[in-house]
Amino acid sequence: MSKIVQVATSNADVLINATEVASVESQNDNNMNEVTSTDCCPKEKTTVIAIIEGVKQEVKLARTIYSMDVLKKSQEKLLGEIDKSKLLDEIFHFSDPEIFRKAGIPLYDCEGEEIPKDEENVLVPIETGANYWRFSFDAVLKHVQIHTFESVEEYAQVVGMADLFTRSRSAVEKIKIAALAT
């Protein structure tokens, strides 16, 4: 039996379900900024090459409605001007998609298409302030760790703790993490 958690937001008159708030807030934020959930990566790039346990593989990046917004209109030019030779290596953390599938949370590719539940080679990025935009930016993800969580709540708690001091999340992103964590 799942517990319904009530939250208040800056634009809410009453307490409502956290998941509903995240969905509505995300839609409102996306409409205001003309950014959609598919703005995570170049439109033609729904898969990445990752070295997992020493083996180079192609994996599909999966996102949820709770994922961080990555490319905002003001950042598109900046990303095109980055000198990749000056970037430090990152450790790319992923979650197995099964926790989301079991929880009934749809997964989407970077073009906004729902990923079938039986599709293989799908990984959900564990987005942190240091790497949330690099999953689709780097040509090859060299340092990859795949984590198995007991639940979506545990996944969200790890994201929250990992991100606590690295990046100030927007109010919408905080609500999304709260919704997952509850």
Side-chain angles (χ1 to χ4, degrees), residues 71 75-84 137:
L71 290 180
Q75 294 173 312
E76 289 176 355
K77 184 177 179 186
L78 176 65
L79 285 177
E81 295 176 356
I82 290 176
D83 179 353
K84 289 184 179 185
F137 183 76

Side-chain angles (χ1 to χ4, degrees), residues 15-173:
L15 297 176
I16 56 177
N17 181 287
T19 304
E20 293 170 11
V21 170
S23 178
V24 170
E25 291 281 347
S26 179
Q27 290 171 5
N28 290 343
D29 187 52
N30 288 342
N31 290 339
M32 285 176 26
N33 297 315
E34 297 180 29
V35 176
T36 67
S37 63
T38 61
D39 286 331
C40 68
C41 48
K43 298 296 179 235
E44 67 279 356
K45 190 171 185 179
T46 61
T47 62
V48 295
I49 302 299
I51 299 173
I52 302 170
E53 297 180 1
V55 178
K56 194 180 274 190
Q57 306 177 38
E58 184 175 25
V59 296
K60 182 168 281 198
L61 291 177
R63 295 178 53 80
T64 71
I65 64 168
Y66 306 104
S67 295
M68 294 172 74
D69 294 329
V70 178
L71 290 180
K72 299 194 185 312
K73 298 292 182 192
S74 61
Q75 294 173 312
E76 289 176 355
K77 184 177 179 186
L78 176 65
L79 285 177
E81 295 176 356
I82 290 176
D83 179 353
K84 289 184 179 185
S85 70
K86 303 283 191 266
L87 292 173
L88 299 173
D89 284 348
E90 288 288 339
I91 297 175
F92 294 94
H93 297 275
F94 288 96
S95 172
D96 182 293
E98 293 311 309
I99 58 169
F100 297 94
R101 292 172 174 162
K102 287 178 186 173
I105 297 173
L107 297 174
Y108 302 92
D109 66 20
C110 289
E111 292 181 339
E113 298 295 321
E114 189 167 341
I115 299 171
K117 292 182 184 203
D118 60 348
E119 187 160 339
E120 296 180 5
N121 295 327
V122 174
L123 293 174
V124 181
I126 299 173
E127 302 164 327
T128 68
N131 67 12
Y132 70 105
W133 56 277
R134 287 192 59 179
F135 286 96
S136 61
F137 183 76
D138 286 26
V140 176
L141 310 184
K142 297 175 188 170
H143 308 289
V144 174
Q145 294 182 9
I146 300 172
H147 303 273
T148 302
F149 298 103
E150 294 294 319
S151 64
V152 173
E153 293 84 0
E154 182 184 13
Y155 163 89
Q157 292 165 3
V158 167
V159 170
M161 287 297 112
D163 222 19
L164 190 59
F165 292 110
T166 61
R167 176 180 180 267
S168 177
R169 288 184 180 262
S170 71
V172 172
E173 290 171 339

